[in-house]
Amino acid sequence: MNLSEKDQLYHWHPYTQHKTTGLLPAIVRGEGALLWDENGKEYIDAIASWWVNPYGHSNKFIADAIYEQLTTLEHVLFGGFTNKPAVLLSEQLMKILPSNQKKIFFSDNGSTAVEVALKAALQYFYNKGEKRTTVIAFEDAFHGDTFGAMASSGITFFTEAFQGSLIDVIRIPVPTEGNENKSKVALQKAIQSNACAAFLFEPLVQGAAGMVMYAAEILDELIAICKENHVFTIADEVMTGFGKTGKTFACDFLTQQPDMMCLSKALTGGTIPMAITTFTAAIFAGFYDDDTNKALFHGHTFTANPTGCAAALASLQLLQSESIQADMKRVHKSHLDFQSKIESHPKVKTTRVLGVIFALEIVTENQESYYGTMRNKLYNFFIENGIILRPVGNIVYILPPYIISQNQLEKVYQVVENALEIV
């Protein structure tokens, strides 16, 4: 048996209907933007392995930092203790986060980062003797697969089996161009008619919905409405954080500042699972009390894992380097050039670019489902051509490692263009 056959024997993969899925490629090596399977086939990782790997696979700078930490202190519990890499990482994050963010809570992944924020929002009001049990979120949002994050997501087939077991969430329209006022009115109505604790959103880009984009100006207005009504705002920057939008955080485009931020994915450069939820001092004060029961009773075994923190510190150093900043600008310009070339193609409905994110919507006669026929046909075509892309229905997006070479990027564009001829 080869690795792919053994995988089929043993494993249950995420987001996979195994009855209709064949053998999966077994990746054995990675370098830069490239991956190789057990048969020696080469793939360009054009989505940075679910958006986590902006500095390339097997990055030596991050690997060296991990090795040094592993041979010094691999892990120590964060309940009752602290550690040097966690302190240093928080110190560095405070320099780049919005100025109102003052406290950092560590967890394991993007979904748990959102879960921590939701629990903090709900318990804050409970601690004050005020019952607020409703969360506001955008339609078609995706915030993760744990129960609170899942409840706040709007992609129904992810959540329909659990209806009746989820927290109370009101979904409002995404304020895309032309829908700004509709979104604003819906937010105001939701706040007026319900005891709302928080408004949770993916700032500027909805990733899993197909890189749906909206303007910073309307998000500023929505945040301002929440602030006027003492409703907390939670920016889910799990996908957008650490450079994807062209700035360190998507919230850097705003004049308003969220009350909480959720970070993960690129935090450790695609090496070690880790997540962070950040808070204002005012939220932290809502738990700071002589009454032990008012503490935030939430934790993870590997909270603030020193090795993960060391990886994150190295990743931040890379992000802020001149070479990576130049790469981000190069990828952005290349996306714009490809957009100019492809947007008039008869099979292209719309295109959009923000930072290193490119998205293209293919013309279809009928509404294409998330894992529909077109999506599967496109996905298989990309894999056959050595490109890792995961279309969302009829939307193809590119979100590559920042260090992808220009030749590799041009190959991705060419294969995407070729794919239009098979649909």
Side-chain angles (χ1 to χ4, degrees):
M1 276 191 176
N2 61 21
L3 290 175
S4 291
E5 291 166 336
K6 290 181 179 180
D7 171 87
Q8 190 176 65
L9 182 64
Y10 300 130
H11 295 153
W12 191 343
H13 285 264
Y15 311 120
T16 300
Q17 175 48 264
H18 282 275
K19 188 171 184 179
T20 57
T21 301
L23 294 175
L24 303 177
I27 301 300
V28 296
R29 187 167 71 89
E31 182 179 344
L34 299 177
L35 295 167
W36 289 267
D37 69 18
E38 61 182 324
N39 301 312
K41 182 174 180 177
E42 179 182 285
Y43 303 84
I44 299 174
D45 187 357
I47 57 168
S49 285
W50 262 341
W51 325 330
V52 303
N53 200 299
Y55 317 112
H57 295 282
S58 305
N59 184 285
K60 190 174 185 305
F61 186 75
I62 301 176
D64 287 345
I66 290 172
Y67 176 78
E68 183 179 350
Q69 189 58 48
L70 280 173
T71 54
T72 304
L73 173 67
E74 78 299 336
H75 181 66
V76 63
L77 70 162
F78 209 57
F81 295 89
T82 191
N83 65 77
K84 183 178 179 180
V87 172
L88 294 178
L89 175 57
S90 296
E91 194 171 47
Q92 292 304 309
L93 285 171
M94 287 300 177
K95 296 176 182 178
I96 60 174
L97 285 163
S99 60
N100 68 335
Q101 301 299 296
K102 299 299 182 185
K103 289 291 181 180
I104 286 174
F105 194 103
F106 288 90
S107 61
D108 295 351
N109 58 66
S111 184
T112 61
V114 171
E115 207 77 12
V116 170
L118 291 172
K119 288 178 73 173
L122 295 171
Q123 188 181 336
Y124 175 92
F125 292 106
Y126 177 86
N127 283 357
K128 300 290 185 183
E130 186 178 348
K131 189 175 182 180
R132 296 202 193 186
T133 58
T134 300
V135 172
I136 305 167
F138 284 137
E139 296 169 353
D140 298 325
F142 181 76
H143 295 288
D145 293 321
T146 53
F147 262 69
M150 176 176 61
S152 303
S153 300
I155 302 174
T156 55
F157 70 90
F158 283 164
T159 59
E160 60 189 2
F162 309 100
Q163 296 303 315
S165 302
L166 304 173
I167 62 173
D168 183 20
V169 176
I170 295 173
R171 295 178 180 85
I172 65 173
V174 184
T176 49
E177 187 175 357
N179 291 306
E180 295 91 345
N181 192 60
K182 187 186 297 184
S183 182
K184 187 161 55 170
V185 169
L187 176 64
Q188 291 167 327
K189 182 179 178 181
I191 293 173
Q192 290 164 5
S193 306
N194 300 272
C196 297
F199 168 41
L200 169 64
F201 54 87
E202 298 161 273
L204 307 192
V205 189
Q206 288 188 301
M211 301 301 164
V212 175
M213 299 179 186
Y214 62 97
E217 291 76 12
I218 182 59
L219 183 55
D220 272 325
E221 291 185 44
L222 298 180
I223 293 174
I225 291 169
C226 289
K227 289 186 183 298
E228 290 167 9
N229 291 277
H230 307 291
V231 173
F232 289 132
T233 52
I234 306 170
D236 179 354
E237 292 243 22
V238 170
M239 187 277 285
T240 53
F242 305 105
K244 307 291 198 328
T245 62
K247 295 195 177 187
T248 302
F249 302 109
C251 286
D252 292 339
F253 286 92
L254 304 175
T255 54
Q256 296 284 348
Q257 294 179 327
D259 299 297
M260 308 177 219
M261 292 176 65
C262 305
L263 310 172
S264 189
K265 289 200 180 288
L267 174 63
T268 64
T271 56
I272 295 175
M274 177 170 278
I276 280 172
T277 310
T278 69
F279 300 93
T280 62
I283 294 174
F284 180 76
F287 295 80
Y288 192 76
D289 199 280
D290 291 328
D291 185 352
T292 302
N293 292 331
K294 290 187 176 181
L296 180 59
F297 285 101
H298 187 100
H300 297 260
T301 303
F302 286 93
T303 292
N305 170 254
T307 311
C309 290
L313 278 164
S315 296
L316 280 180
Q317 195 170 337
L318 287 173
L319 176 65
Q320 295 167 334
S321 68
E322 289 184 10
S323 61
I324 291 297
Q325 290 294 315
D327 281 334
M328 290 163 57
K329 291 174 183 175
R330 171 180 57 85
V331 172
H332 175 67
K333 182 181 182 303
S334 296
H335 282 350
L336 291 176
D337 290 344
F338 182 54
Q339 181 183 44
S340 297
K341 176 185 179 183
I342 204 72
E343 61 187 351
S344 59
H345 192 287
K347 291 186 179 179
V348 172
K349 184 177 180 181
T350 61
T351 59
R352 44 191 177 268
V353 174
L354 182 64
V356 301
I357 305 167
F358 171 90
L360 172 156
E361 185 175 0
I362 298 173
V363 174
T364 56
E365 292 183 8
N366 302 307
Q367 179 69 30
E368 179 71 17
S369 65
Y370 196 93
Y371 284 108
T373 302
M374 178 185 289
R375 180 266 176 202
N376 294 336
K377 187 176 183 180
L378 287 167
Y379 177 79
N380 291 331
F381 178 82
F382 293 137
I383 292 298
E384 289 166 7
N385 284 273
I387 308 293
I388 300 176
L389 290 171
R390 290 178 62 88
V392 179
N394 63 321
I395 297 170
V396 176
Y397 73 86
I398 304 167
L399 206 170
Y402 306 154
I403 52 79
I404 190 171
S405 74
Q406 200 58 34
N407 285 340
Q408 290 164 348
L409 196 52
E410 292 300 334
K411 181 179 177 181
V412 173
Y413 295 148
Q414 186 59 59
V415 172
V416 169
E417 190 171 356
N418 294 345
L420 295 174
E421 305 308 318
I422 69 164
V423 294

